[in-house]
Amino acid sequence: MPCIIGFTLAFALASSDPTLDAARAELSAVAERIAQLKNERLQGRATGRELERLLVRAQELAEEIDERSAVTPAPAAVAPSAEELRERADALHDEADRLAAALTDLDVRIAGLRRTLASGPGRGFSSVATVRHAAAGSTGRTAASPLEMQRLHQLLLERDALAARLRQVRVEAAATEAEARAAER
């Protein structure tokens, strides 16, 4: 979605429709706060709930801007050339590679945390549902702190979001490649 949000933001900022100003301003403020929260998260602070809420709000604003922009007739666009489409597909493949590397790194962190949790008197966690079950206090499986369990839960949620984004980028890349092949004909 970040690619779509970026295009929406660029288009919205380039247009001169005054009804979009409030949505643009809010989206800009939300984007700045998201960047701050990501930096805080890298420093080890728990920012999951607020970050998740702001990501949802950014998506809502992007959709609102899209809807309002759709009402205003867009200037006639020139169809991109096959070469340009291939370049876009290459960029999407590069993004997919970066996302796959980040996913691998996250898997390593999750595995390390699971090993830490499993080394306690109980067994480790194998899924988000198990973490939620344990966090609810319904089992005495481990002596892990609630903070460790929350961290594992957060990492698993991040992994799910990252995997979904990777799938989306791969689909976009394939569609762009198909569009490039069609443009060559």
Side-chain angles (χ1 to χ4, degrees):
M1 292 285 181
C3 188
I4 293 170
I5 292 172
F7 289 135
T8 300
L9 181 60
F11 180 74
L13 293 175
S15 70
S16 61
D17 185 354
T19 60
L20 296 176
D21 288 343
R24 286 186 209 135
E26 185 179 353
L27 183 58
S28 178
V30 167
E32 288 177 26
R33 183 63 182 145
I34 287 171
Q36 290 171 350
L37 289 172
K38 285 183 177 181
N39 285 333
E40 289 177 18
R41 186 177 67 191
L42 289 175
Q43 295 171 1
R45 295 188 191 112
T47 61
R49 285 185 180 161
E50 184 178 1
L51 182 59
E52 189 173 327
R53 182 185 61 78
L54 288 174
L55 288 170
V56 167
R57 182 62 183 146
Q59 181 62 36
E60 290 170 352
L61 288 168
E63 289 171 2
E64 179 181 335
I65 291 170
D66 276 344
E67 289 171 9
R68 289 184 181 179
S69 297
V71 174
T72 306
V78 176
S81 68
E83 180 64 29
E84 184 179 340
L85 290 168
R86 280 192 296 277
E87 289 176 13
R88 288 181 191 174
D90 287 343
L92 287 167
H93 284 296
D94 291 344
E95 182 180 354
D97 291 344
R98 285 189 300 276
L99 289 168
L103 191 59
T104 299
D105 179 57
L106 193 53
D107 284 340
V108 168
R109 290 172 44 206
I110 289 169
L113 186 52
R114 281 183 173 155
R115 278 191 301 277
T116 300
L117 291 170
S119 66
R123 297 188 327 230
F125 300 112
S126 61
S127 69
V128 172
T130 308
V131 172
R132 287 183 182 142
H133 187 64
S138 58
T139 182
R141 288 182 164 193
T142 183
S145 74
L147 210 73
E148 289 173 314
M149 293 182 337
Q150 180 183 8
R151 181 67 184 141
L152 177 59
H153 177 74
Q154 184 62 34
L155 288 174
L156 290 169
L157 290 174
E158 288 177 31
R159 187 197 186 290
D160 289 345
L162 192 58
R165 177 68 184 134
L166 177 58
R167 284 188 302 273
Q168 179 185 10
V169 168
R170 286 180 175 161
V171 166
E172 289 175 22
T176 304
E177 286 175 340
E179 198 176 337
R181 284 190 300 274
E184 289 175 339
R185 295 180 186 152

